[in-house]
Amino acid sequence: MQGSSGDLKRMGRDLAVAADALRDADTVRIVTHIDADGISAGAIADMTLERMGKSHTIGFEKKITDDVVASINSSEEDVVWVCDLGSGYLSEFDRSGLIITDHHVPDPRRRGSQTVLDGFGTVHHINPHCYGIDGSYEVCGAGMTYLLSKEVDPSNVDLAYLAVIGAVGDFQDSNHQRLVGLNRTILGDAVTNGDVIVEEDLRYFGRDTRPINQYLQYSSEPSIPGVSDNPKGCMEFLDILGILMKDGGRWRVWTGLTQEERERAIDRISELLGPELSERAFGEMYRVTRYESGTGLGDSKEFATVLNSCGRYDDAETGLRVCRGDIAALKVAEENRAEHRKHISSALSYIRENHLLRERRFIQWFDAGSGVRETVVGIVAGMLLSSDDCRRNIPIIAFADSDDGVKVSARANRDLVDRGLDLSSVMKTAAEIVGGFGGGHTVAAGATIPPDRKDEFLDIVEDLVSSQIE
Ligand code: C5P
Ligand code: C5P
Ligand code: ZN
């Protein structure tokens, strides 16, 4: 079954009550996450409140810390609307007038929705896990935020495409090669409104903007034998099929090939992959109709990367402006994307050249120190996990220095989750034992821990992982 229906009726009732709370508020503060999903969620909340004529502010956070909790608890606004964050730390909030539209695994100390705080007020906690819906692939933070936006006013359906970008940005389309569950309903809204076109295609990253040889070279998960990670192999592949890499002086891109050229390439790639891997390489891709392909915003995966290039480098505001359709922000976003590309590529080389990747029995790990930004180390870990450098059948744990200790990012393949792995609980439990904090999703999670406890932390993580998947 592709996604469960969960308790949608109860969620609908909770959304209606939360929408009333927004209507009753004069002032609202939005707090959202810095990644693609968080920025999309923030943009949806921002435009929803603007359309309601509400006085509001928006701020971006890397994570929920004690300071963020304190600031939310003491905010003077009538309502604080927390998007794509907050569920993991629910028991720490003590204010009334709190709306959370998130999809992270909720705080086990308080898993409910619409919790009444000791006769003090109501927390509107709208999280898929409260309704039997999986938050790691059925709906994202932007999706939950969109559902509330649509509850406030059905004409907000023109914001659905932003929730599609959030879902793709969180890799929610990766295990079925398409969006499923509530994401599929939201995708339906975006398609009906004319904002998204569903296309069957190869699902590798960069189909609109990566030069064709690089598009093939960086293909992964699944890798194409003789082509992925093999620049010479890519050139030969194109040469044999009679596909020119350049058109005049300009590099050609995957979606810029003729229909016939693409078909020839697809036939050959399918042959090289074999039937089983081909299943994973092809699937749905989502085109954002309002942008030309050359902008890097025409493909939803590339759009999400543009947002990550902003938010993960302290410039979430530019991402927000892009989501709001501010054309002037595109140039800055383009510069951010070039920087992001450089940082990722140097981070991967740094880890490879210094042989930082270490293997244990149940996990593999690397410590990037100050060589990789803490906000990007999770992306790098995910890329390594899907490359030939790594063992795919065990999780990867990554460390990077951060201002308040060591940032940890953990990623695993879904097969392990199917066998019982839950990285969210692993990160939360192990971090708390060593005096830190963490959480996230079953397949992707993170933590912050004290710098001198890394070895101990790894021992605990390994014990927890082995006990979960045995
Ligand atoms: O905080 P949030 O839920 O938005 O972030 C989820 C993170 O996990 C995203 O950065 C996403 O890219 C990452 N992820 C991943 N691999 C998956 C699922 C999610 O790297 N299979
Ligand atoms: O930072 P990274 O991309 O590795 O985060 C993976 C997931 O773990 C995200 O959903 C993030 O919100 C979550 N996380 C968390 N608590 C932390 C660090 C990360 O819930 N301390
Ligand atoms: Zn998210």
Side-chain angles (χ1 to χ4, degrees):
M1 194 179 72
Q2 294 197 342
S4 61
S5 58
D7 190 352
L8 290 177
K9 241 191 207 151
R10 190 158 55 82
M11 186 173 78
R13 283 197 298 270
D14 290 348
L15 282 168
V17 179
D20 280 339
L22 276 183
R23 289 187 193 104
D24 289 346
D26 288 325
T27 53
V28 181
R29 170 180 168 194
I30 303 164
V31 176
T32 191
H33 198 198
I34 52 146
D35 72 355
D37 184 27
I39 296 174
S40 311
I44 293 170
D46 184 50
M47 287 190 270
T48 303
L49 293 169
E50 185 177 81
R51 290 170 184 186
M52 293 172 88
K54 300 284 177 192
S55 158
H56 65 286
T57 59
I58 179 164
F60 298 88
E61 298 292 345
K62 282 185 202 162
K63 57 186 179 243
I64 298 275
T65 59
D66 290 346
D67 286 349
V68 174
V69 170
S71 146
I72 290 174
N73 281 337
S74 62
S75 269
E76 283 177 0
E77 283 82 359
D78 297 334
V79 164
V80 181
W81 184 356
V82 185
C83 308
D84 191 36
L85 280 175
S87 294
Y89 304 85
L90 207 55
S91 56
E92 292 174 35
F93 297 112
D94 64 8
R95 65 167 290 140
S96 60
L98 184 63
I99 297 176
I100 297 176
T101 46
D102 187 13
H103 67 134
H104 289 92
V105 175
D107 187 340
R109 286 177 285 257
R110 267 233 324 254
R111 293 190 76 103
S113 57
Q114 302 290 4
T115 312
V116 176
L117 294 172
D118 309 330
F120 178 50
T122 304
V123 174
H124 305 277
H125 179 226
I126 323 281
N127 180 309
H129 296 278
C130 302
Y131 311 104
I133 297 167
D134 190 300
S136 75
Y137 71 100
E138 293 188 82
V139 67
C140 64
M144 295 311 288
T145 305
Y146 166 71
L147 293 178
L148 180 52
S149 170
K150 193 179 160 193
E151 178 66 35
V152 164
D153 186 344
S155 70
N156 288 335
V157 33
D158 64 331
L159 304 178
Y161 83 98
L162 290 170
V164 170
I165 291 159
V168 166
D170 270 7
F171 291 84
Q172 298 212 325
D173 57 335
S174 63
N175 52 326
H176 292 96
Q177 296 84 44
R178 66 196 65 241
L179 292 173
V180 299
L182 261 183
N183 277 326
R184 191 115 207 124
T185 313
I186 296 169
L187 172 67
D189 283 358
V191 170
T192 308
N193 204 56
D195 296 314
V196 169
I197 294 174
V198 178
E199 295 173 339
E200 286 288 329
D201 201 353
L202 252 187
R203 285 179 31 84
Y204 294 130
F205 180 80
R207 64 185 185 136
D208 275 355
T209 62
R210 262 192 183 159
I212 182 69
N213 56 331
Q214 286 184 24
Y215 173 77
L216 294 167
Q217 186 186 330
Y218 294 123
S219 56
S220 69
E221 186 103 22
S223 318
I224 312 170
V227 174
S228 303
D229 239 348
N230 183 343
K232 204 162 149 262
C234 292
M235 301 231 252
E236 281 168 11
F237 174 91
L238 292 167
D239 198 35
I240 290 168
L241 295 179
I243 297 172
L244 294 175
M245 285 199 285
K246 283 191 171 179
D247 181 5
R250 283 187 36 220
W251 289 101
R252 301 178 76 200
V253 297
W254 174 252
T255 49
L257 302 186
T258 65
Q259 177 78 13
E260 213 211 340
E261 286 174 323
R262 267 214 303 268
E263 277 166 17
R264 257 184 282 153
I266 284 176
D267 285 348
R268 182 68 188 134
I269 290 170
S270 308
E271 235 172 78
L272 290 169
L273 288 173
E276 205 175 304
L277 291 182
S278 290
E279 281 273 299
R280 286 175 35 209
F282 295 94
E284 285 183 0
M285 295 290 276
Y286 306 110
R287 182 153 297 289
V288 181
T289 55
R290 69 187 64 198
Y291 295 106
E292 299 287 330
S293 58
T295 59
L297 302 175
D299 172 71
S300 56
K301 274 196 204 213
E302 294 199 71
F303 196 130
T305 296
V306 169
L307 299 184
N308 275 321
S309 314
C310 297
R312 293 179 189 267
Y313 299 80
D314 301 323
D315 188 21
E317 282 74 14
T318 295
L320 175 68
R321 284 170 60 202
V322 169
C323 290
R324 291 177 53 94
D326 177 349
I327 300 297
L330 285 186
K331 199 173 166 323
V332 186
E334 174 58 42
E335 285 160 18
N336 288 347
R337 190 168 50 146
E339 283 301 312
H340 179 50
R341 213 177 283 144
K342 259 194 256 163
H343 184 62
I344 294 278
S345 139
S346 72
L348 287 169
S349 316
Y350 176 75
I351 291 155
R352 282 179 183 143
E353 280 158 20
N354 293 295
H355 307 286
L356 297 183
L357 190 65
R358 303 284 148 79
E359 236 180 70
R360 288 179 166 222
R361 188 153 165 235
F362 292 102
I363 54 172
Q364 54 204 327
W365 64 280
F366 67 88
D367 184 352
S370 55
V372 181
R373 262 180 177 256
E374 53 141 334
T375 48
V376 179
V377 75
I379 294 182
V380 173
M383 291 173 92
L384 280 173
L385 187 64
S386 62
S387 75
D388 292 335
D389 297 8
C390 264
R391 281 177 58 194
R392 289 173 199 205
N393 55 352
I394 53 176
I396 184 166
I397 313 294
F399 296 117
D401 296 347
S402 80
D403 291 348
D404 53 351
V406 170
K407 165 71 197 299
V408 189
S409 279
R411 298 288 188 273
N413 280 323
R414 195 159 281 277
D415 318 358
L416 283 181
V417 171
D418 294 341
R419 285 170 54 198
L421 180 73
D422 176 0
L423 286 178
S424 166
S425 82
V426 170
M427 285 297 113
K428 190 171 174 62
T429 309
E432 282 174 4
I433 293 173
V434 301
F437 57 94
H441 307 285
T442 50
V443 279
T448 299
I449 60 167
D452 53 350
R453 309 285 294 269
K454 282 185 265 194
D455 290 334
E456 194 187 335
F457 177 80
L458 282 173
D459 290 339
I460 302 165
V461 167
E462 185 158 40
D463 277 351
L464 292 169
V465 168
S466 69
S467 68
Q468 287 184 348
I469 57 179
E470 261 170 9

PDB file of all heavy atoms in Angstrom, residues 33 89 104 312 378 407 409 411 437-441 444-448, ligand 2:
ATOM      1  N   HIS A  33      12.012  26.410   9.998  1.00  0.00           N
ATOM      2  CA  HIS A  33      13.316  25.767   9.852  1.00  0.00           C
ATOM      3  C   HIS A  33      14.057  26.365   8.643  1.00  0.00           C
ATOM      4  O   HIS A  33      13.451  26.884   7.736  1.00  0.00           O
ATOM      5  CB  HIS A  33      13.053  24.262   9.632  1.00  0.00           C
ATOM      6  CG  HIS A  33      14.224  23.384   9.873  1.00  0.00           C
ATOM      7  ND1 HIS A  33      14.284  22.107   9.386  1.00  0.00           N
ATOM      8  CD2 HIS A  33      15.386  23.592  10.543  1.00  0.00           C
ATOM      9  CE1 HIS A  33      15.425  21.559   9.760  1.00  0.00           C
ATOM     10  NE2 HIS A  33      16.105  22.435  10.451  1.00  0.00           N
ATOM     11  N   TYR A  89      10.027  18.735  20.725  1.00  0.00           N
ATOM     12  CA  TYR A  89      10.325  19.459  21.970  1.00  0.00           C
ATOM     13  C   TYR A  89       9.042  19.963  22.638  1.00  0.00           C
ATOM     14  O   TYR A  89       9.056  20.914  23.411  1.00  0.00           O
ATOM     15  CB  TYR A  89      11.282  20.629  21.651  1.00  0.00           C
ATOM     16  CG  TYR A  89      12.541  20.136  20.972  1.00  0.00           C
ATOM     17  CD1 TYR A  89      12.576  19.941  19.583  1.00  0.00           C
ATOM     18  CD2 TYR A  89      13.665  19.801  21.714  1.00  0.00           C
ATOM     19  CE1 TYR A  89      13.710  19.433  18.962  1.00  0.00           C
ATOM     20  CE2 TYR A  89      14.806  19.300  21.101  1.00  0.00           C
ATOM     21  CZ  TYR A  89      14.822  19.122  19.724  1.00  0.00           C
ATOM     22  OH  TYR A  89      15.938  18.615  19.114  1.00  0.00           O
ATOM     23  N   HIS A 104       8.051  16.124  12.285  1.00  0.00           N
ATOM     24  CA  HIS A 104       9.080  15.362  12.995  1.00  0.00           C
ATOM     25  C   HIS A 104       8.432  14.431  14.010  1.00  0.00           C
ATOM     26  O   HIS A 104       7.332  14.686  14.482  1.00  0.00           O
ATOM     27  CB  HIS A 104      10.046  16.313  13.705  1.00  0.00           C
ATOM     28  CG  HIS A 104      10.939  17.042  12.755  1.00  0.00           C
ATOM     29  ND1 HIS A 104      10.620  18.272  12.248  1.00  0.00           N
ATOM     30  CD2 HIS A 104      12.114  16.696  12.202  1.00  0.00           C
ATOM     31  CE1 HIS A 104      11.584  18.662  11.425  1.00  0.00           C
ATOM     32  NE2 HIS A 104      12.503  17.720  11.373  1.00  0.00           N
ATOM     33  N   ARG A 312      20.707  27.130   4.337  1.00  0.00           N
ATOM     34  CA  ARG A 312      21.793  26.474   5.048  1.00  0.00           C
ATOM     35  C   ARG A 312      23.060  27.327   5.101  1.00  0.00           C
ATOM     36  O   ARG A 312      24.087  26.916   5.625  1.00  0.00           O
ATOM     37  CB  ARG A 312      22.075  25.104   4.427  1.00  0.00           C
ATOM     38  CG  ARG A 312      20.899  24.128   4.644  1.00  0.00           C
ATOM     39  CD  ARG A 312      21.170  22.788   4.023  1.00  0.00           C
ATOM     40  NE  ARG A 312      20.007  21.910   4.028  1.00  0.00           N
ATOM     41  CZ  ARG A 312      19.724  21.016   4.980  1.00  0.00           C
ATOM     42  NH1 ARG A 312      20.500  20.897   6.026  1.00  0.00           N
ATOM     43  NH2 ARG A 312      18.664  20.247   4.888  1.00  0.00           N
ATOM     44  N   GLY A 378      24.782  16.986   6.903  1.00  0.00           N
ATOM     45  CA  GLY A 378      23.772  15.940   6.673  1.00  0.00           C
ATOM     46  C   GLY A 378      23.581  15.666   5.187  1.00  0.00           C
ATOM     47  O   GLY A 378      23.416  14.511   4.772  1.00  0.00           O
ATOM     48  N   LYS A 407      27.762  19.065  15.995  1.00  0.00           N
ATOM     49  CA  LYS A 407      26.525  18.724  15.295  1.00  0.00           C
ATOM     50  C   LYS A 407      26.656  17.299  14.756  1.00  0.00           C
ATOM     51  O   LYS A 407      27.691  16.935  14.197  1.00  0.00           O
ATOM     52  CB  LYS A 407      26.333  19.708  14.126  1.00  0.00           C
ATOM     53  CG  LYS A 407      25.314  19.291  13.085  1.00  0.00           C
ATOM     54  CD  LYS A 407      23.891  19.380  13.627  1.00  0.00           C
ATOM     55  CE  LYS A 407      22.916  18.594  12.764  1.00  0.00           C
ATOM     56  NZ  LYS A 407      22.819  19.035  11.401  1.00  0.00           N
ATOM     57  N   SER A 409      24.806  14.396  12.245  1.00  0.00           N
ATOM     58  CA  SER A 409      23.759  14.082  11.267  1.00  0.00           C
ATOM     59  C   SER A 409      23.798  12.587  11.018  1.00  0.00           C
ATOM     60  O   SER A 409      24.879  12.005  10.900  1.00  0.00           O
ATOM     61  CB  SER A 409      24.013  14.801   9.933  1.00  0.00           C
ATOM     62  OG  SER A 409      23.577  16.125  10.014  1.00  0.00           O
ATOM     63  N   ARG A 411      22.056   9.339   8.649  1.00  0.00           N
ATOM     64  CA  ARG A 411      21.222   8.963   7.503  1.00  0.00           C
ATOM     65  C   ARG A 411      21.282   7.449   7.322  1.00  0.00           C
ATOM     66  O   ARG A 411      22.305   6.820   7.607  1.00  0.00           O
ATOM     67  CB  ARG A 411      21.748   9.601   6.196  1.00  0.00           C
ATOM     68  CG  ARG A 411      21.752  11.121   6.163  1.00  0.00           C
ATOM     69  CD  ARG A 411      20.354  11.680   6.041  1.00  0.00           C
ATOM     70  NE  ARG A 411      20.333  13.120   5.811  1.00  0.00           N
ATOM     71  CZ  ARG A 411      20.351  14.046   6.782  1.00  0.00           C
ATOM     72  NH1 ARG A 411      20.409  13.684   8.051  1.00  0.00           N
ATOM     73  NH2 ARG A 411      20.316  15.331   6.484  1.00  0.00           N
ATOM     74  N   PHE A 437      21.100  16.804  22.795  1.00  0.00           N
ATOM     75  CA  PHE A 437      19.702  16.633  22.414  1.00  0.00           C
ATOM     76  C   PHE A 437      19.635  16.322  20.928  1.00  0.00           C
ATOM     77  O   PHE A 437      20.543  16.664  20.170  1.00  0.00           O
ATOM     78  CB  PHE A 437      18.887  17.893  22.740  1.00  0.00           C
ATOM     79  CG  PHE A 437      19.432  19.136  22.081  1.00  0.00           C
ATOM     80  CD1 PHE A 437      18.951  19.570  20.855  1.00  0.00           C
ATOM     81  CD2 PHE A 437      20.459  19.851  22.684  1.00  0.00           C
ATOM     82  CE1 PHE A 437      19.471  20.710  20.237  1.00  0.00           C
ATOM     83  CE2 PHE A 437      20.992  20.986  22.068  1.00  0.00           C
ATOM     84  CZ  PHE A 437      20.492  21.415  20.853  1.00  0.00           C
ATOM     85  N   GLY A 438      18.562  15.642  20.529  1.00  0.00           N
ATOM     86  CA  GLY A 438      18.451  15.295  19.111  1.00  0.00           C
ATOM     87  C   GLY A 438      17.088  14.762  18.763  1.00  0.00           C
ATOM     88  O   GLY A 438      16.214  14.656  19.621  1.00  0.00           O
ATOM     89  N   GLY A 439      16.903  14.417  17.494  1.00  0.00           N
ATOM     90  CA  GLY A 439      15.616  13.903  17.029  1.00  0.00           C
ATOM     91  C   GLY A 439      15.577  13.908  15.514  1.00  0.00           C
ATOM     92  O   GLY A 439      16.625  13.968  14.871  1.00  0.00           O
ATOM     93  N   GLY A 440      14.393  13.866  14.943  1.00  0.00           N
ATOM     94  CA  GLY A 440      14.256  13.918  13.484  1.00  0.00           C
ATOM     95  C   GLY A 440      13.291  12.885  12.968  1.00  0.00           C
ATOM     96  O   GLY A 440      12.177  12.761  13.474  1.00  0.00           O
ATOM     97  N   HIS A 441      13.743  12.120  11.971  1.00  0.00           N
ATOM     98  CA  HIS A 441      12.904  11.107  11.323  1.00  0.00           C
ATOM     99  C   HIS A 441      13.589   9.741  11.411  1.00  0.00           C
ATOM    100  O   HIS A 441      14.780   9.669  11.714  1.00  0.00           O
ATOM    101  CB  HIS A 441      12.693  11.455   9.853  1.00  0.00           C
ATOM    102  CG  HIS A 441      12.166  12.841   9.646  1.00  0.00           C
ATOM    103  ND1 HIS A 441      10.860  13.174   9.891  1.00  0.00           N
ATOM    104  CD2 HIS A 441      12.777  13.979   9.254  1.00  0.00           C
ATOM    105  CE1 HIS A 441      10.682  14.453   9.656  1.00  0.00           C
ATOM    106  NE2 HIS A 441      11.836  14.978   9.267  1.00  0.00           N
ATOM    107  N   ALA A 444      16.363   9.929   8.638  1.00  0.00           N
ATOM    108  CA  ALA A 444      17.287  11.065   8.684  1.00  0.00           C
ATOM    109  C   ALA A 444      17.070  11.784   9.998  1.00  0.00           C
ATOM    110  O   ALA A 444      15.955  12.202  10.296  1.00  0.00           O
ATOM    111  CB  ALA A 444      17.021  12.011   7.516  1.00  0.00           C
ATOM    112  N   ALA A 445      18.121  11.893  10.786  1.00  0.00           N
ATOM    113  CA  ALA A 445      17.966  12.550  12.088  1.00  0.00           C
ATOM    114  C   ALA A 445      19.250  13.273  12.446  1.00  0.00           C
ATOM    115  O   ALA A 445      20.249  13.198  11.713  1.00  0.00           O
ATOM    116  CB  ALA A 445      17.614  11.512  13.156  1.00  0.00           C
ATOM    117  N   GLY A 446      19.233  13.993  13.556  1.00  0.00           N
ATOM    118  CA  GLY A 446      20.419  14.749  13.937  1.00  0.00           C
ATOM    119  C   GLY A 446      20.443  15.016  15.424  1.00  0.00           C
ATOM    120  O   GLY A 446      19.494  14.701  16.150  1.00  0.00           O
ATOM    121  N   ALA A 447      21.555  15.591  15.874  1.00  0.00           N
ATOM    122  CA  ALA A 447      21.706  15.886  17.298  1.00  0.00           C
ATOM    123  C   ALA A 447      22.796  16.930  17.489  1.00  0.00           C
ATOM    124  O   ALA A 447      23.557  17.232  16.556  1.00  0.00           O
ATOM    125  CB  ALA A 447      22.083  14.612  18.060  1.00  0.00           C
ATOM    126  N   THR A 448      22.861  17.465  18.701  1.00  0.00           N
ATOM    127  CA  THR A 448      23.999  18.281  19.119  1.00  0.00           C
ATOM    128  C   THR A 448      24.505  17.672  20.418  1.00  0.00           C
ATOM    129  O   THR A 448      23.708  17.390  21.312  1.00  0.00           O
ATOM    130  CB  THR A 448      23.569  19.753  19.343  1.00  0.00           C
ATOM    131  OG1 THR A 448      23.066  20.258  18.109  1.00  0.00           O
ATOM    132  CG2 THR A 448      24.750  20.605  19.776  1.00  0.00           C
TER     133      THR A 448
HETATM  134  O1  C5P B   2      20.658  18.586  10.137  1.00  0.00           O
HETATM  135  P1  C5P B   2      20.192  17.365   9.447  1.00  0.00           P
HETATM  136  O2  C5P B   2      19.815  17.611   8.012  1.00  0.00           O
HETATM  137  O3  C5P B   2      21.099  16.190   9.583  1.00  0.00           O
HETATM  138  O4  C5P B   2      18.846  16.950  10.187  1.00  0.00           O
HETATM  139  C1  C5P B   2      18.146  15.759   9.888  1.00  0.00           C
HETATM  140  C2  C5P B   2      16.809  15.792  10.578  1.00  0.00           C
HETATM  141  O5  C5P B   2      16.987  15.743  11.999  1.00  0.00           O
HETATM  142  C3  C5P B   2      16.033  17.070  10.309  1.00  0.00           C
HETATM  143  O6  C5P B   2      14.689  16.727  10.192  1.00  0.00           O
HETATM  144  C4  C5P B   2      16.269  17.890  11.547  1.00  0.00           C
HETATM  145  O7  C5P B   2      15.215  18.785  11.801  1.00  0.00           O
HETATM  146  C5  C5P B   2      16.333  16.809  12.619  1.00  0.00           C
HETATM  147  N1  C5P B   2      17.119  17.240  13.812  1.00  0.00           N
HETATM  148  C6  C5P B   2      16.507  17.308  15.060  1.00  0.00           C
HETATM  149  N2  C5P B   2      17.211  17.716  16.174  1.00  0.00           N
HETATM  150  C7  C5P B   2      18.523  18.035  16.062  1.00  0.00           C
HETATM  151  C8  C5P B   2      19.179  17.982  14.806  1.00  0.00           C
HETATM  152  C9  C5P B   2      18.436  17.582  13.682  1.00  0.00           C
HETATM  153  O8  C5P B   2      15.307  17.018  15.172  1.00  0.00           O
HETATM  154  N3  C5P B   2      19.197  18.430  17.153  1.00  0.00           N
END
